[in-house]
Amino acid sequence: FVMGSGLVVTFLGYRLILVRERPWFAGSFRLPASITIDGRLMGGAALFGLGWGLTGLCPGPAIASLAFGGWQSFLFVIAMAAGMAAVRFITRQPVTPGQMADVEG
C-alpha cells in the first residue's frame, strides 16, 4: 500500500507540475538525464536494500527517529554518514543525485 500510494502521488504530481513553464523557485526543472543502469546504481541499490532489510530503517525515517533518542538510530545515522563518506573517498568524486538535465517548460 505504501509503495502503491507513493507511485500514484508521484505520477499525479509529475503530471500536474510539469505542465508549468518553470518551477516557482528555479529557472527550469532539473530531471535525471541518464537512464543507464550500471554497476554503481545496482551496487547502491543493493546496499540500500541490505541496510533497510537489516535495520528496518531508510535514511529519511532514520534521521527523523533521532528525535526519540534511541541509540540504534544514532548508530544507523553514523554508519550511513560513514558509508557516504567512504563512497566519496573511494570514488574521489562528490556524491550527487546523478546527472541532471535542465528541462524548459
Side-chain angles (χ1 to χ4, degrees), residues 17-82:
I17 297 301
L18 291 180
V19 296
R20 297 181 47 81
E21 184 177 320
R22 66 179 190 83
W24 286 343
F25 302 110
S28 63
F29 289 99
R30 293 177 50 101
L31 300 173
S34 175
I35 59 170
T36 304
I37 298 175
D38 60 5
R40 184 173 174 170
L41 175 66
M42 295 299 290
L47 287 174
F48 178 86
L50 184 63
W52 193 356
L54 289 173
T55 65
L57 293 170
C58 62
I63 291 170
S65 71
L66 293 174
F68 296 111
W71 65 268
Q72 297 93 337
S73 298
F74 285 99
L75 181 62
F76 179 85
V77 171
I78 290 168
M80 181 176 68

